[in-house]
Amino acid sequence: MKKFLNSVDTVLTESLDGFVAAHADILALGEEHKFVRRRVLKPGKVALISGGGSGHEPLHGGFVGHGMLDAACPGQVFTSPTPDQMMAAAEAVNTGAGCLFIVKNYEGDVMNFDMAAEMTAGVMQIVTNDDVAVENSSYTTGRRGVAGTLVVEKIVGAAAEQGMPLESLKALGERVNGATRSMGVALTSCTVPAAGKPTFDIGDGEMEFGVGIHGEPGKRRDTLKSADAIAEEICTAILGDLGDGARGQALLFVNGFGGTPLMELYLMYNSARKIFEKHGVTVARSLVGSYVTSLDMAGCSITLSMLDDEAAVWWDAPVHTAALRWGM
């Protein structure tokens, strides 16, 4: 294993220290590294809080700032944060309008955010489950929440910034989640620092279809195919799952898992865009880059989020975070 480390025991805290120092104009670090929050809070605004295991950067801390999250709670690598982290974050960023938790559908995350919500007044939750690859996995009951979580955080974050109340934000987030589908493919495994070796073995001429963002198994192992063939299978699965909902304007988001060059991600975007538009989807908005990663895994996911007029406005609204910035 070759990684830039001082110690596997301090990799998270040292990384958080560097992250907040590099973006000190917009971020502050919570006590005992329990959370990252916006440096300047907006009074009277519903506070949006998310989080999950580390190793998916820039998710979620990279999306803390104007137009997205108010706080993010980082767990250890691929491990859920604890309820006391969410409770501390909620106390720090709640300015009186309540809090909305945005939670990926992984059992540890759901359990711990549920516990925090039960012990914190004025909290509602959205659970994201955009992955069409598998119904149940080693980490979930039901579909996994993956790259589509970013779409929910961006659209709901923009609406919160403009003063939308808590119940309406929850309904908006659930609508966006319901219109969003994702699927991923891995070309290599990832290496968790504490383990020191790849999570799974995969041959040079193989790929894992439907892989999750923790390196958990996908739908099947297959021989490596062309980019067009990979995109065809993923896009067909997404379109089939959306059914009649796959008509009109959409956001196409091609996400890298951490070890894939942008050149290849844009190539995959080109393949996916042609497939979707051939089936009657108008790609009106786009995002390409490594935003929901799995440490050093090579691979990508494709996300399609159908956009009504309201969702398109909120997607376009100004955002200023470490990882996403436009319109300001």
Side-chain angles (χ1 to χ4, degrees), residues 151 155 248-254 269 273 276-277 281-288 303-317 326:
V151 182
I155 291 175
Q249 293 192 84
L251 161 70
L252 173 55
F253 170 26
V254 174
Y269 170 87
R273 183 184 184 114
F276 284 133
E277 294 199 330
V281 174
T282 300
V283 177
R285 304 291 187 275
S286 304
L287 184 66
V288 180
T303 296
L304 191 73
S305 184
M306 306 310 299
L307 296 175
D308 57 27
D309 291 342
E310 182 188 19
V313 168
W314 294 132
W315 178 262
D316 292 341
W326 60 71

Side-chain angles (χ1 to χ4, degrees), residues 140-165:
T140 64
T141 300
R143 294 183 173 187
R144 301 174 291 207
V146 287
T149 307
L150 177 155
V151 182
V152 174
E153 291 178 353
K154 171 63 184 77
I155 291 175
V156 175
E161 204 71 47
Q162 295 303 312
M164 185 178 285

Side-chain angles (χ1 to χ4, degrees), residues 10-30 33-39 50-52 54-66 68-75 153 290-291 320-325:
T10 61
V11 60
L12 175 56
T13 56
E14 290 178 330
S15 177
L16 286 172
D17 286 340
F19 173 61
V20 172
H23 302 284
D25 56 326
I26 57 174
L27 299 177
L29 188 60
H33 296 82
K34 287 183 177 180
F35 57 88
V36 175
R37 68 167 179 85
R38 290 168 67 160
R39 179 166 291 279
S50 192
S54 298
H56 306 306
E57 290 77 15
L59 189 82
H60 294 275
F63 306 137
V64 173
H66 179 93
M68 287 192 77
L69 301 176
D70 292 274
C73 304
E153 291 178 353
S290 294
Y291 294 101
H320 188 83
T321 68
L324 283 185
R325 298 186 181 191

